[in-house]
Amino acid sequence: MDLLGNGYIGIIITAVVILILISVFLRFVPVGLWVTAYFSGVKVGIGTLVGMRLRQVSPHSIIRPLIKATKAGLHLSTDELEAHYLAGGNVNAVIDALIASHRAEIDLEFEKAAAIDLAGRNVFEAVQVSVNPKVIVTPDIAAVAKDGIEIIAKAKVTVRANIERLVGGAGEDTIIARVGEGVVTTVGSAEKHSDVLENPDMISQTVLGKGLDAGTAFEILSIDIADVDVGRNIGAKLQTEQAEADKNIAQAKAEERRSMAIAQEQEMRAETQKMRAKVVEAEAEVPLAMSEALRSGNLGVMDYYKMKNVNADTEMRTAISGQSSEEEE
């Protein structure tokens, strides 16, 4: 009985080990994926799938897109897809783009699609835009005509992806910037803002003729002016601001002249006070001089009284003339 029991235990352990080995094998070797690929017409060996595991490549990420491409009539190899996967590309998106371009009869090779994908662009969306053009709506663009009136315009740019320039070509922001520059130039060259309002098509024709899609990843099909509005009177505003500035400058200069005049007046008053002080000083020396003249005999007593009479007469006449002036006023 012990031998029989030990035999059953050995069989059970062997069965468990075999099941574990089979599970590990099926986990490491995707037999189900190989069967699906075989019946889908994709010839891939078990060794290739094992090699993908060893290279840390997900077999499902390679085989399933390859099956999709083969069913669509594309002839690709696992090495091409695996190289793109290892480079960090999106294999499924590239295959979808190749199928879409093949259906739309657009000449797009795998190497070109892979380069576009690795450049960071959505290659499938690029093919869709190439088949079905998209519309880029610009923000409000303000421009000023020669008469000083502001025009606010909004444009709709219909573009189609240029597959050949997707790698290294400028994006939508460049298109919007160039269209804005063209609108500003066109409106700025108009003599009157009413000319732009009467014929908005002149903006689209002028802008479209500038070849704004040069160096971009798009081909501009049309530029349509969606909306045109009249903004502010920039010319009048600038003139008003200039007049205000001129007035402030004139006021500042007038205040400067007034300050200089006041300063000059104060200087003259100070000079007058200084001269009066000198006169008082000189008058204070007159009695001393007269006393000296009397002592030295250069001035007689009668001469002194005559001078006093003359001074008194002069003061009387000055007082009379001042009184007469006040009465006349």
Side-chain angles (χ1 to χ4, degrees), residues 101-116:
S101 61
H102 180 69
R103 293 280 191 267
E105 298 182 354
I106 298 175
D107 186 15
L108 179 62
E109 300 294 335
F110 175 79
E111 290 77 9
K112 188 69 175 179
I116 294 172

Side-chain angles (χ1 to χ4, degrees), residues 111-133:
E111 290 77 9
K112 188 69 175 179
I116 294 172
D117 182 62
L118 292 177
R121 295 187 181 273
N122 192 327
V123 60
F124 181 61
E125 181 182 353
V127 173
Q128 287 181 321
V129 174
S130 180
V131 176
N132 184 21

Side-chain angles (χ1 to χ4, degrees), residues 46-59:
I46 293 293
T48 302
L49 298 178
V50 174
M52 290 182 185
R53 289 290 192 188
L54 295 175
R55 289 187 292 272
Q56 297 184 351
V57 176
S58 174

Side-chain angles (χ1 to χ4, degrees), residues 18 56 62 84 93 105 124 129 141 177 213-215 225 231 252 309 327:
I18 292 173
Q56 297 184 351
I62 302 299
H84 186 63
E105 298 182 354
F124 181 61
V129 174
I141 303 171
D213 54 2
I225 303 302
N309 290 331
E327 293 178 355

